[in-house]
Amino acid sequence: AELMQLRQLCCDPRLLFEDYRGHGAKLDTIMELVASAMEGGEKALIFSQFTSFLDLIAQRLEEAGIAFYTITGQTPKKDRVELVNEFNGNDVPVFLVSLKAGLTGASVVIHADPWWNAAAQQQATDRAHRIGQTRVVSVQKVIAKGTIEERILHLQEEKSKLADQVIGSSGISLASLSADELMDLLEG
């Protein structure tokens, strides 16, 4: 639970503290990436594991007058396909995603927070490469410096290297971490 709270804090302090009124650097960075994508005539997929963070991103997009779609676990299955098809076929520049969806209309992928499982994160990225994508896809990971997020990335890299050496695939899960690895996440 504490690791989850640290990860939420990296995304935006308001995810833990309703009365927080300060600045959210990660959210500002995401908005800059969206603006850059739009200036280049590109669409962006923004993935997060936290629907509450997607809500904050949606709020900022609305304030900026930027159209977007959202798919979460609460989106009915029949609506998901329709939203994906609309996004792939129109000029709406941003899609907020908290789950697996097949999206080919975007050429910019933004991971708002790192996933424990690097393979699942890569699968999310791969959705932008599905059949029908004709543009080069760029991937951005928004990581809070000096936080548990950097340690998660380091752990992903180490686990991926080991998995590639042993079985030729990558990915980690929180359940597979040793006590020492968990302590390393917290201590840096």
Side-chain angles (χ1 to χ4, degrees):
E2 287 82 9
L3 288 174
M4 183 68 69
Q5 288 179 336
L6 287 172
R7 294 182 61 229
Q8 289 173 317
L9 189 59
C10 291
C11 289
D12 195 288
R14 291 176 292 175
L15 297 182
L16 294 177
F17 305 104
E18 281 186 32
D19 59 345
Y20 179 80
R21 299 290 175 245
H23 177 66
K26 185 176 275 202
L27 191 49
D28 290 343
T29 300
I30 290 169
M31 292 303 293
E32 288 173 15
L33 291 169
V34 167
S36 177
M38 290 174 60
E39 286 172 13
E42 299 179 296
K43 293 179 159 206
L45 298 179
I46 302 174
F47 289 96
S48 178
Q49 293 180 61
F50 304 109
T51 57
S52 53
F53 189 45
L54 290 177
D55 291 342
L56 293 178
I57 297 168
Q59 181 181 352
R60 284 287 296 274
L61 291 169
E62 288 171 356
E63 290 169 2
I66 299 171
F68 63 93
Y69 292 109
T70 303
I71 289 182
T72 70
Q74 301 303 311
T75 306
K77 201 171 195 175
K78 65 178 180 61
D79 294 344
R80 294 176 191 176
V81 173
E82 184 179 316
L83 290 170
V84 168
N85 288 337
E86 286 180 27
F87 179 73
N88 288 340
N90 67 24
D91 293 331
V92 172
V94 179
F95 209 129
L96 306 177
V97 186
S98 71
L99 55 96
K100 298 175 181 176
L103 301 166
T104 61
S107 55
V108 175
V109 175
I110 301 169
H111 290 286
D113 46 83
W115 299 18
W116 286 110
N117 185 333
Q121 186 169 313
Q122 184 59 46
Q123 288 173 353
T125 297
D126 290 345
R127 281 180 203 76
H129 291 280
R130 300 237 190 236
I131 295 170
Q133 178 54 267
T134 58
R135 303 178 87 166
V136 173
V137 175
S138 65
V139 179
Q140 305 291 327
K141 295 178 184 177
V142 184
I143 304 300
K145 185 175 182 172
T147 68
I148 193 169
E149 289 186 335
E150 278 190 336
R151 295 178 192 115
I152 290 170
L153 286 183
H154 175 73
L155 187 59
Q156 281 180 351
E157 291 167 4
E158 293 302 313
K159 290 283 188 177
S160 292
K161 286 178 194 173
L162 179 61
D164 286 341
Q165 290 172 352
V166 175
I167 57 173
S169 66
S170 60
I172 64 169
S173 82
L174 184 56
S176 72
L177 300 179
S178 69
D180 288 340
E181 289 168 329
L182 283 172
M183 290 307 295
D184 187 48
L185 279 174
L186 296 173
E187 293 171 352

